[in-house]
Amino acid sequence: MEDTGKLAQLIAALSLAVAFFLFSYFASPRKTVPWLICLSPFQTIDNPYATSSVILTYVIGIAYILRGKLHFVPMLGFFLIMLAIYFASTGFAHRATHIQHAIYIFSYGSAIIMFYVVYNFVRETGDIGLVLQTLIVLNVLVVIYCVIQILFDKVSLFGIEELTIQGTRLRGADPRLTGPYGVGVTAEFLVLHTLLAAYLLVHADTLTRRYFLYLLMALNVGCLLATANRGGFLVLIGGAGLFLYMFRSQLGLKRTLTLSIAGSFLLVFVSIVVINFTSYGAMYERLEATEIEAGVPDTRANTWAAAVPAIAEKPVLGHGPRLRLQDDYTKSYPGHKVVPYPHNLYLFLLYTVGFIGLVAYLAFFGWLFARMRRGIKRSSAASFEQGLIKLGILLLVVVLIDQMKIDFLRFELVDYWHYLFAIFAMWLALADMARPAKGVNANKTGNLDRAVSKSAHNGLSPRSHQR
């Protein structure tokens, strides 16, 4: 019966790949890339080798290459270095684990393709409104998924097991919302999109749009509280404060105070609703019960401590890209030591790809930060586009801080790799488009100012003229 299920998944995967390839090859990128991004959290196929998101990303990448759509390959050197480190780390791991590490690298390759597909999509279309619409639609889909989890124990769409929504996570008597990504990563997603909605709210030019964004922010915060993820909640509070500080000159004192009061009221109201009308009100109890042991939160003391001696065994290139192998709790793999996930990206990298891998990732994030800073300097002061790039820096900082309590590069979170690499690509493209247009590229992309004007017809347009 299990073999029949795997065969059915394989047939479904091949059929999906062929159909999406034809669609991607002949259809406009405006119709394919937003779908790819919005479908990334929802895996209709999820087996030990690949997910539907991995398959679709490779398919659209091949279609883009055949159509000559991948004109830009920024930061290629960083990705080649990271792939080389992954292969080198695999080479020093035990032969019995090579296949599983290779599967990890194959999935990681799909995240790189996602990065370049999205980057080229943004640069070629120059449609900032469509980019923002895509992120809002993705947010709405994730919130709908979360609300279904809160209201129902299990929902199978069309009676298909692979399209089942379930999985509240139990900690003692307290259920915790998992969302499509899992507790910690879903919380991070909701924080990022709450900040994005806040920025769009500041620039919303109609009452209807403002009401919609307030509602979306309330739902995001409510679902975040339902995860009972303390780290995500604290990062949201800190991120909101940093948001007000970074945009203080554009907002002014009066609007800063108004947003602070409105945000506080929204948090109180949503907290009352979640605590009194759902079974997911454990957030504040968990916050109150938090203990710090030698500067480390109680929930991370054991996992961080377990990672340190294992890291010391292979400090240079680590133990291999994949920290946990398939069924390694029940199946023994020669040369593989079972350790719990450290719940910290930086310890995860030190364990898997060593000090060299950690430095490569920090360099990647640092260069991404520098490119966005450059985009801010080259865009119009206090404009919507400058603020949008500045928001990208805030989102990057939030991710890097939040990853101190979760490790998004674990193999089970490949769908979240796609999401993060997509938004990294979006904001890098926005920053690069802020450069003065030169030569032949001027006809294709122009600069970000012109792109924002073009996107004004797409429903999430900024106000025409900001003070």
Side-chain angles (χ1 to χ4, degrees), residues 15-77:
S15 302
L16 183 65
V18 171
F20 199 75
F21 173 79
L22 294 174
F23 179 58
S24 303
Y25 189 83
F26 292 105
S28 165
R30 297 172 63 89
K31 297 180 180 179
T32 56
V33 177
W35 274 103
L36 180 66
I37 295 171
C38 290
L39 290 175
S40 62
F42 312 109
Q43 307 303 324
T44 55
I45 298 167
D46 190 1
N47 62 42
Y49 306 103
T51 66
S52 55
S53 185
V54 170
I55 296 168
L56 294 180
T57 303
Y58 269 111
V59 166
I60 196 173
I62 293 171
Y64 259 52
I65 291 172
L66 293 177
R67 292 184 61 185
K69 288 290 185 181
L70 293 182
H71 300 295
F72 306 99
V73 284
M75 305 184 76
L76 180 61

Side-chain angles (χ1 to χ4, degrees), residues 244 248 251-264:
L244 293 174
R248 64 192 183 282
L251 294 172
L253 180 60
K254 182 178 178 180
R255 295 183 74 192
T256 299
L257 291 175
T258 301
L259 281 175
S260 301
I261 295 171
S264 301

Side-chain angles (χ1 to χ4, degrees), residues 380-450:
S380 303
S383 62
F384 176 82
E385 59 272 16
Q386 186 192 69
L388 196 59
I389 302 171
K390 190 181 293 186
L391 176 70
I393 289 181
L394 174 59
L395 299 184
L396 177 61
V397 170
V398 166
V399 168
L400 295 179
I401 293 175
D402 193 62
Q403 287 299 313
M404 294 181 67
K405 54 84 172 171
I406 193 66
D407 28 45
F408 83 90
L409 282 172
R410 61 175 70 174
F411 181 69
E412 294 79 4
L413 297 176
V414 63
D415 48 349
Y416 195 66
W417 305 355
H418 289 167
Y419 163 74
L420 278 187
F421 276 57
I423 64 170
F424 291 157
M426 286 178 183
W427 261 272
L428 179 62
L430 296 179
D432 289 348
M433 288 165 64
R435 298 179 178 185
K438 293 182 180 180
V440 68
N441 288 335
N443 295 327
K444 281 189 174 183
T445 60
N447 57 26
L448 186 53
D449 295 340
R450 193 184 313 157

Side-chain angles (χ1 to χ4, degrees), residues 297-341:
D298 53 349
T299 55
R300 298 295 182 259
N302 293 332
T303 57
W304 290 6
V308 173
I311 290 169
E313 294 174 7
K314 294 185 176 182
V316 180
L317 282 170
H319 296 259
R322 187 168 173 175
L323 188 145
R324 295 296 306 279
L325 304 183
Q326 183 185 356
D327 302 326
D328 60 2
Y329 270 139
T330 58
K331 181 179 179 180
S332 177
Y333 292 88
H336 173 66
K337 181 179 180 181
V338 178
V339 297
Y341 283 116

Side-chain angles (χ1 to χ4, degrees), residues 137-466:
V137 170
L138 174 62
N139 191 175
V140 171
L141 291 174
V142 169
V143 165
I144 290 173
Y145 187 101
C146 291
V147 171
I148 291 175
Q149 276 194 327
I150 291 173
L151 297 178
F152 305 100
D153 292 332
K154 179 177 180 179
V155 175
S156 295
L157 303 180
F158 311 111
I160 301 174
E161 187 64 27
E162 285 76 14
L163 299 180
T164 297
I165 300 176
Q166 63 177 5
T168 53
R169 183 177 176 184
L170 296 175
R171 285 279 183 92
D174 297 321
R176 299 178 61 189
L177 179 71
T178 61
Y181 297 114
V183 172
V185 177
T186 294
E188 180 175 284
F189 174 93
L190 294 168
V191 171
L192 297 179
H193 279 259
T194 300
L195 295 173
L196 172 62
Y199 181 76
L200 296 177
L201 176 65
V202 169
H203 294 274
D205 54 4
T206 68
L207 195 60
T208 301
R209 199 165 291 147
R210 293 193 191 101
Y211 284 149
F212 168 77
L213 290 168
Y214 269 123
L215 176 61
L216 186 60
M217 291 174 64
L219 290 170
N220 283 340
V221 173
C223 291
L224 173 63
L225 293 174
T227 67
N229 185 265
R230 294 169 292 184
F233 178 79
L234 295 176
V235 167
L236 175 63
I237 301 301
L242 191 56
F243 176 92
L244 293 174
Y245 176 78
M246 290 178 66
F247 295 102
R248 64 192 183 282
S249 59
Q250 291 93 329
L251 294 172
L253 180 60
K254 182 178 178 180
R255 295 183 74 192
T256 299
L257 291 175
T258 301
L259 281 175
S260 301
I261 295 171
S264 301
F265 176 79
L266 184 146
L267 176 60
V268 171
F269 174 76
V270 172
S271 298
I272 292 172
V273 172
V274 172
I275 292 172
N276 291 284
F277 298 99
T278 77
S279 303
Y280 296 82
M283 173 67 83
Y284 295 107
E285 293 178 3
R286 298 191 76 229
L287 279 171
E288 186 179 2
T290 301
E291 296 181 1
I292 305 297
E293 303 172 7
V296 179
D298 53 349
T299 55
R300 298 295 182 259
N302 293 332
T303 57
W304 290 6
V308 173
I311 290 169
E313 294 174 7
K314 294 185 176 182
V316 180
L317 282 170
H319 296 259
R322 187 168 173 175
L323 188 145
R324 295 296 306 279
L325 304 183
Q326 183 185 356
D327 302 326
D328 60 2
Y329 270 139
T330 58
K331 181 179 179 180
S332 177
Y333 292 88
H336 173 66
K337 181 179 180 181
V338 178
V339 297
Y341 283 116
H343 293 279
N344 179 295
L345 175 64
Y346 311 102
L347 292 177
F348 178 94
L349 289 170
L350 284 172
Y351 178 89
T352 56
V353 287
F355 177 76
I356 293 178
L358 174 63
V359 170
Y361 267 99
L362 292 178
F364 171 80
F365 291 127
W367 190 247
L368 193 62
F369 180 89
R371 291 277 284 264
M372 287 192 281
R373 281 285 304 273
R374 190 183 308 167
I376 291 175
K377 293 178 180 179
R378 294 186 176 183
S379 59
S380 303
S383 62
F384 176 82
E385 59 272 16
Q386 186 192 69
L388 196 59
I389 302 171
K390 190 181 293 186
L391 176 70
I393 289 181
L394 174 59
L395 299 184
L396 177 61
V397 170
V398 166
V399 168
L400 295 179
I401 293 175
D402 193 62
Q403 287 299 313
M404 294 181 67
K405 54 84 172 171
I406 193 66
D407 28 45
F408 83 90
L409 282 172
R410 61 175 70 174
F411 181 69
E412 294 79 4
L413 297 176
V414 63
D415 48 349
Y416 195 66
W417 305 355
H418 289 167
Y419 163 74
L420 278 187
F421 276 57
I423 64 170
F424 291 157
M426 286 178 183
W427 261 272
L428 179 62
L430 296 179
D432 289 348
M433 288 165 64
R435 298 179 178 185
K438 293 182 180 180
V440 68
N441 288 335
N443 295 327
K444 281 189 174 183
T445 60
N447 57 26
L448 186 53
D449 295 340
R450 193 184 313 157
V452 171
S453 297
K454 177 182 176 181
S455 70
H457 303 287
N458 287 321
L460 280 174
S461 58
R463 291 174 178 170
S464 303
H465 302 283
Q466 293 298 319

